[in-house]
Amino acid sequence: MQIATMTIDEIRVGIREQKFTAQEVVKALFQRIKKVEPEIGGYITLCEEDALQQAIIVDEKIKAGEKLGKLAGVPVAVKDNICTDGIRTTCASKMLEDFIPPYDATVVKKLKAEDAIIIGKTNMDEFAMGSSNENSAFKIVKNPWDTKRVPGGSSGGSAAVVAAGMAPLSLGSDTGGSIRQPAAFCGVVGLKPTYGLVSRFGLIAFASSLDQIGPLTRTVKDCALSLEVLQGNDPMDGTSVKEVKTKSYLDGLEEGVKGYKIGIPKGFLQKGLNEEIAKAIEDSIEKFKELGAIVEEIDLPITDAELSAYYIISSAEASSNLARFDGVRYGYRTEDFQKLDELMEKTRTEAFGGEVKRRIMLGTYALSSGYYDAYYNKAQKLREKIRQQYQEIFKTYDLIITPTTPSLPFLCGEKVNDPMEMYLGDIYTININLAKLPALSMPCGFSKEGLPIGIQLIGGEYTEDKILKAAFALEEELKLSTIIPEGKEEI
Ligand code: GLN
């Protein structure tokens, strides 16, 4: 069984048709993980025994002829900021190093209800803050295409394990690009759904008005299938979609892009964009034209101002969300203290990493009464303007296309001491969260050095179906999605 390159679809069909058992899938996968993981560092926790138990249950269901869920026997890796009942959930932070949630996040419940198998929890930037995975309190993740380079972040573990053939499906979270940017750096498909389409219940919050959970997969079809399972209203999440907006994303996936109107922001080929990325995006745009799409330039400024708005809003929300980690209720507690305020101060000083502290300070500053209007309020106004701009464009256009990132995967250590440089890498992704829109990143080429390049397809609210159809059409043309890093093919 070539588990490393197998898609979700191949696994679930193979199990259903009894070509192999769920136990065989899980065993093969763990064999591979044992071989590859030491070099990559994509997992924080592995659940081999639990996974085998779950596989036995799936196999018994098959034997008994019982009805199977959509993802029966499919191994899933879950980002370590998504709560899993009885499985340690750390947010890659010393603060939650020993935290074992007593409940499953809604997305995890949904996966289990479809008979998927949870195999482990993936490494990430601490509390999902970062773009390179170097902010994990435990270990860094390496890019499977070149282990001297970063896999992107904050869902770097989730992207790397899919790219390295250590899981056919993983869950990530995306507050400003954390699914799409690592997907681009690792050459996999990653989708950030419309805000509210997928429940956030059980996702440990970074910035609640921006966070969304989404899938990372090897193919667009797998992405569509996963979204079908993950989507939907959740009474436990007050911001989850109210009316039924859920769809079957597999239906009509092959319909193509004939007649689609695609907008290309005029300034996107601007300063700072890597030339090889620009070329790959232009080639993909040509493909879309050949496939019958109408491509036009649109006015959509992509500027540093939006980046500032994102970092003010997300840090403000983070400073409030992370106030709960005080050493009193759960998580790390300092050993030596006299008074309550000392307990809190020492706990937070000892257990949060540098980037998390930076965001808390930035957010607290932006929310303080003297600066609230100058920063937070201004950022909110800009956010509303961005939202309206996109809404206007989507009255006429079906999709917007941009690169996912301005640069190729960079070297480990290259940007750790320059947070501004790191933040600039989010220029194409953060607007989408500010505007609450869906967007997908997929591989669209490789650099001369063999590093993956990602293209971003952005849609109007709840038009994941359109995005997926376009992505599928491009994937059919490019045939890049089953390629895996050289030397890592065999088990
Ligand atoms: N890189 C961005 C940040 O550091 C995005 C993070 C995310 O999407 N979780 O905030």
Side-chain angles (χ1 to χ4, degrees):
M1 189 188 310
Q2 279 294 326
I3 192 74
T5 48
M6 279 171 81
T7 64
I8 299 175
D9 204 36
E10 285 162 0
I11 293 174
R12 66 171 198 147
V13 172
I15 289 177
R16 234 161 256 260
E17 292 175 356
Q18 304 194 27
K19 287 191 186 131
F20 39 77
T21 64
Q23 288 171 74
E24 281 166 349
V25 168
V26 169
K27 282 182 187 154
L29 195 71
F30 275 94
Q31 220 181 316
R32 172 147 185 101
I33 290 173
K34 276 172 200 147
K35 195 176 158 206
V36 179
E37 169 62 5
E39 209 190 340
I40 303 296
Y43 283 103
I44 290 178
T45 304
L46 284 163
C47 324
E48 188 170 0
E49 271 176 34
D50 265 12
L52 269 171
Q53 284 309 316
Q54 292 174 60
I56 291 170
I57 295 172
V58 171
D59 289 338
E60 277 168 1
K61 271 193 175 180
I62 294 176
K63 259 198 226 136
E66 281 176 40
K67 194 172 175 296
L68 292 174
K70 277 186 188 167
L71 297 178
V74 174
V76 188
V78 178
K79 186 174 179 180
D80 215 17
N81 58 351
I82 300 174
C83 287
T84 37
D85 189 1
I87 305 172
R88 198 163 73 109
T89 299
T90 68
C91 282
S93 179
K94 194 172 168 189
M95 187 61 91
L96 291 176
E97 193 167 0
D98 301 315
F99 174 58
I100 300 182
Y103 66 96
D104 274 330
T106 299
V107 286
V108 173
K109 266 198 193 141
K110 285 185 182 238
L111 289 171
K112 287 185 177 170
E114 296 295 342
D115 295 319
I117 296 176
I118 309 299
I119 50 170
K121 304 297 296 286
T122 56
N123 203 351
M124 54 184 280
D125 283 305
E126 185 177 6
F127 284 100
M129 297 171 189
S131 309
S132 68
N133 233 288
E134 292 162 298
N135 297 337
S136 166
F138 307 128
K139 57 185 175 187
I140 63 168
V141 182
K142 312 273 182 54
N143 191 315
W145 295 91
D146 176 353
T147 50
K148 291 190 295 306
R149 292 177 188 273
V150 303
S154 63
S155 313
S158 294
V161 299
V162 173
M166 294 194 281
L169 164 63
S170 67
L171 295 187
S173 69
D174 191 314
T175 306
S178 276
I179 291 175
R180 291 159 286 155
Q181 185 252 22
F185 276 13
C186 292
V188 299
V189 178
L191 175 76
K192 181 249 162 217
T194 307
Y195 184 79
L197 185 65
V198 174
S199 165
R200 288 184 300 113
F201 179 72
L203 168 67
I204 298 175
F206 163 8
S208 317
S209 77
L210 300 158
D211 299 340
Q212 264 296 281
I213 294 172
L216 291 110
T217 57
R218 310 183 62 78
T219 66
V220 173
K221 188 174 179 191
D222 281 359
C223 179
L225 175 61
S226 310
L227 187 64
E228 274 191 29
V229 171
L230 297 173
Q231 65 177 345
N233 173 261
D234 179 9
M236 301 298 281
D237 173 1
T239 57
S240 110
V241 56
K242 294 291 174 301
E243 320 97 82
V244 184
K245 291 257 169 40
T246 56
K247 298 174 183 168
S248 164
Y249 301 101
L250 289 174
D251 286 352
L253 189 63
E254 303 85 3
E255 275 170 11
V257 290
K258 211 168 169 50
Y260 266 42
K261 277 192 88 175
I262 299 179
I264 312 291
K266 265 184 202 143
F268 98 80
L269 292 168
Q270 63 192 2
K271 55 173 174 39
L273 175 64
N274 172 287
E275 277 176 20
E276 289 184 276
I277 298 182
K279 169 82 174 63
I281 302 297
E282 280 173 346
D283 289 350
S284 294
I285 291 172
E286 282 310 309
K287 290 265 184 254
F288 277 123
K289 284 186 193 160
E290 284 163 25
L291 291 168
I294 304 150
V295 179
E296 289 172 0
E297 282 207 326
I298 52 170
D299 253 326
L300 182 69
I302 297 175
T303 69
D304 300 0
E306 292 127 39
L307 210 57
S308 310
Y310 165 80
Y311 275 95
I312 288 170
I313 293 169
S314 62
S315 302
E317 292 186 23
S319 72
S320 158
N321 275 326
L322 270 59
R324 75 192 66 176
F325 302 107
D326 53 10
V328 177
R329 282 158 296 184
Y330 39 67
Y332 179 85
R333 175 181 293 175
T334 186
E335 278 178 3
D336 181 27
F337 60 91
Q338 304 291 327
K339 294 189 296 270
L340 186 64
D341 51 356
E342 196 188 354
L343 158 72
M344 292 181 181
E345 194 178 319
K346 281 186 78 183
T347 295
R348 290 165 71 83
T349 304
E350 289 163 21
F352 283 142
E355 184 62 27
V356 172
K357 285 179 187 153
R358 189 181 352 257
R359 307 282 178 115
I360 292 173
M361 285 193 287
L362 193 67
T364 308
Y365 181 81
L367 288 177
S368 58
S369 63
Y371 298 101
Y372 187 91
D373 280 334
Y375 296 110
Y376 186 72
N377 243 347
K378 216 168 167 183
Q380 288 291 14
K381 281 187 190 140
L382 184 56
R383 179 178 191 174
E384 190 45 39
K385 213 175 133 198
I386 293 166
R387 209 167 132 79
Q388 283 170 9
Q389 250 173 357
Y390 277 93
Q391 268 170 0
E392 219 23 66
I393 289 167
F394 284 117
K395 282 185 188 156
T396 324
Y397 292 88
D398 298 293
L399 288 180
I400 298 174
I401 287 182
T402 69
T404 310
T405 62
S407 79
L408 293 166
F410 43 90
L411 292 168
C412 298
E414 195 180 322
K415 297 189 182 178
V416 265
N417 296 320
D418 191 347
M420 274 313 288
E421 181 61 24
M422 192 78 93
Y423 298 170
L424 281 169
D426 299 332
I427 190 115
Y428 297 116
T429 49
I430 44 116
N431 277 346
I432 311 313
N433 302 68
L434 290 171
K436 305 198 165 187
L437 299 172
L440 172 146
S441 178
M442 64 184 286
C444 71
F446 286 89
S447 72
K448 281 190 228 70
E449 273 181 279
L451 298 170
I453 296 173
I455 184 169
Q456 179 172 235
L457 314 184
I458 307 159
E461 280 186 8
Y462 305 109
T463 62
E464 280 81 356
D465 52 342
K466 281 189 192 175
I467 296 179
L468 287 160
K469 280 177 198 175
F472 186 82
L474 185 64
E475 183 182 59
E476 287 288 287
E477 288 292 307
L478 301 175
K479 300 265 184 251
L480 295 174
S481 49
T482 46
I483 299 180
I484 88 163
E486 214 176 313
K488 304 228 163 35
E489 302 87 346
E490 78 292 351
I491 287 187

